[in-house]
């Protein structure tokens, strides 16, 4: 019984990530980024909607400032939140 009383409920949650690859001095450099707002999404669909908005927003800014990127991935990764 003590085991049941101390067991915590785990829920799958999601957070945003980005990987941006830039060509720097002839070398491809890929850097992973965490979401600076540290938002946690309760479901994958909500996270993916935000990831899509972030991708298009970031690529628009990169193009407007002529920042040459080779690859940009914005997506969601699963995390466990303990309540």
């Amino acid at each position: 019984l003590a085991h049941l009383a101390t067991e915590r409920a785990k829920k799958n949650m999601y957070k945003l990530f980005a990987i941006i690859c830039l060509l720097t001095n002839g070398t491809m450099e890929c850097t992973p980024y965490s979401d600076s707002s540290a938002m946690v999404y309760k479901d994958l669909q909500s996270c993916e909607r935000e990831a899509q908005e972030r991708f298009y927003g970031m690529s628009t800014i990169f193009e407007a400032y002529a920042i040459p990127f080779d690859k940009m991935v914005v997506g969601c990764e699963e995390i466990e939140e303990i309540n």
Side-chain angles (χ1 to χ4, degrees):
L1 267 353
H3 170 72
L4 293 176
T6 59
E7 193 172 285
R8 295 181 173 179
K10 293 181 183 178
K11 292 190 282 186
N12 292 332
M13 307 291 273
Y14 301 89
K15 67 177 185 175
L16 288 172
F17 72 90
I19 300 171
I20 300 172
C21 300
L22 303 171
L23 191 58
T24 307
N25 297 324
T27 303
M28 184 66 60
E29 294 185 20
C30 295
T31 306
Y33 295 92
S34 295
D35 181 30
S36 60
S37 68
M39 289 287 299
V40 175
Y41 300 89
K42 293 182 180 182
D43 59 78
L44 183 57
Q45 294 77 17
S46 298
C47 186
E48 287 178 339
R49 275 193 303 273
E50 183 64 24
Q52 184 177 15
E53 289 181 28
R54 296 281 181 97
F55 173 82
Y56 288 115
M58 288 178 13
S59 58
T60 299
I61 290 169
F62 276 43
E63 289 172 9
Y65 288 96
I67 300 170
F69 66 93
D70 185 64
K71 182 178 180 180
M72 182 185 307
V73 176
V74 181
C76 300
E77 61 185 344
E78 190 173 12
I79 59 172
E80 281 188 357
E81 182 170 278
I82 300 175
N83 291 331

